[in-house]
Amino acid sequence: AVLDRWNIPYEIDGGSNVLDFPPLESFISLFHAIAQYKQESEDSTVFTLQCQPWLGLDTISLYHLAYLAGKNKTSLRKLVEQGYSAVETDNATPIDEAHFTQIAAFYDLCKGWLESESRLTFAAWFETVLVESGYLEWVKAQDTAPELLLYL
């Protein structure tokens, strides 16, 4: 999928294509979200990513925020950047401040990863994202942890 998009030839030597493995695809989508942050844009891939269990964000709050963002004709990111006061007055879509803070922290992490990208080697940056995103801890807690770790 990713290599095809960039027209990079590759050969699969038996087994399955690890890039098409759903848990790994969701982690790869985090890199897409970081790129979207850099471009100051956001698409449905970012929202889908935010609903992944390994990020630990409250899905109901995400849906409420997405509804409010649509209602206000803005992106979810821009709504979150306005702060909790921008959403707490909407009684139709109650959002807990703690959940809002977790979602805002996700965007702060993306910003931090983007800023550290240019000063770290790729391996160090990848490890930082892997750990700080919560993905590594989530993988280690899965029954299929050895397989998942092998794919990384």
Side-chain angles (χ1 to χ4, degrees), residues 2 18-19 21-34 45 48-49 52-55 106 113 122-123 125-139 148 151-152:
V2 173
V18 297
L19 297 177
F21 189 58
L24 191 55
E25 276 184 321
S26 72
F27 182 67
I28 291 171
S29 70
L30 178 57
F31 299 113
H32 175 77
I34 295 167
T45 306
T48 303
L49 165 69
Q52 295 299 313
W54 52 271
L55 280 173
F106 167 79
W113 295 326
F122 178 75
W125 183 77
F126 182 86
E127 181 181 354
T128 300
V129 173
L130 186 66
V131 172
E132 290 180 358
S133 68
Y135 188 77
L136 183 59
E137 284 305 313
W138 178 82
V139 164
L148 291 169
Y151 285 155
L152 285 175

Side-chain angles (χ1 to χ4, degrees), residues 1-130:
V2 173
L3 297 177
D4 289 332
R5 230 184 344 248
W6 289 95
N7 295 321
I8 298 172
Y10 63 94
E11 196 175 307
I12 298 174
D13 186 22
S16 60
N17 182 352
V18 297
L19 297 177
D20 290 334
F21 189 58
L24 191 55
E25 276 184 321
S26 72
F27 182 67
I28 291 171
S29 70
L30 178 57
F31 299 113
H32 175 77
I34 295 167
Q36 292 282 299
Y37 191 94
K38 182 178 188 174
Q39 298 166 0
E40 295 189 11
S41 64
E42 193 170 68
D43 63 17
S44 62
T45 306
V46 177
F47 178 77
T48 303
L49 165 69
Q50 290 172 317
C51 293
Q52 295 299 313
W54 52 271
L55 280 173
L57 302 176
D58 182 65
T59 308
I60 301 299
S61 295
L62 281 166
Y63 279 103
H64 285 309
L65 283 172
Y67 169 79
L68 282 174
K71 184 176 161 184
N72 293 315
K73 296 181 178 23
T74 188
S75 71
L76 182 58
R77 174 186 167 192
K78 289 187 185 202
L79 180 65
V80 169
E81 286 175 346
Q82 293 173 22
Y84 183 68
S85 61
V87 300
E88 72 178 328
T89 56
D90 192 308
N91 294 329
T93 55
I95 298 165
D96 179 82
E97 188 171 6
H99 291 147
F100 180 89
T101 302
Q102 288 176 325
I103 294 165
F106 167 79
Y107 287 105
D108 290 341
L109 281 171
C110 285
K111 181 180 179 184
W113 295 326
L114 185 60
E115 290 169 353
S116 67
E117 176 186 36
S118 63
R119 61 181 166 73
L120 296 175
T121 64
F122 178 75
W125 183 77
F126 182 86
E127 181 181 354
T128 300
V129 173
L130 186 66

